[in-house]
Amino acid sequence: MSGAMTAANLARRVAQKEKVRILYRRALKDTLNWVVHRHLFHQDASDLREKFEANKHVEDPDTVDKMIAAGEAAYNKWRHPDPYIVPWAPGGSKFTRNPVPPSGV
């Protein structure tokens, strides 16, 4: 029974680590939308990293789940309303601006 419990805890821990990693990457990418200059971005990215590192020691799975939920709520609250989109990416201003002409023309 304890082997199955250990496997379940391990699976939960791995899922939590993945959620934290995804949340950190999304928040870091969103920071680029708020900061125009790179030298300012580095400071904000460092501050964000410190916030994540401050809670690295937490081991209780329920507490980690609560912290992830709070982090996702904060991310959704402070997400940029008009994120930067690379011009040639889908949704960008140059995406399919010059489409390939139809065959036979």
Side-chain angles (χ1 to χ4, degrees), residues 38-66:
R38 239 353 153 169
H39 68 280
L40 299 174
F41 165 75
H42 291 300
Q43 181 59 44
D44 287 353
S46 178
D47 294 342
L48 179 66
R49 181 69 181 201
E50 286 175 9
K51 288 178 185 177
F52 275 80
E53 291 287 335
N55 297 314
K56 192 175 183 178
H57 67 282
V58 178
E59 294 289 332
D60 181 40
D62 295 328
T63 305
V64 173
D65 283 337
K66 289 177 187 175

Side-chain angles (χ1 to χ4, degrees), residues 4 32 37 47 56 88 98:
L32 278 171
H37 301 291
D47 294 342
K56 192 175 183 178
W88 52 87
N98 298 316

Side-chain angles (χ1 to χ4, degrees), residues 59-98:
E59 294 289 332
D60 181 40
D62 295 328
T63 305
V64 173
D65 283 337
K66 289 177 187 175
M67 293 172 77
I68 290 171
E72 288 176 346
Y75 169 73
N76 289 328
K77 179 180 178 184
W78 295 107
R79 187 171 15 175
H80 199 281
D82 188 22
Y84 177 76
I85 300 172
V86 178
W88 52 87
S93 60
K94 292 184 179 180
F95 186 67
T96 65
R97 179 178 285 179
N98 298 316

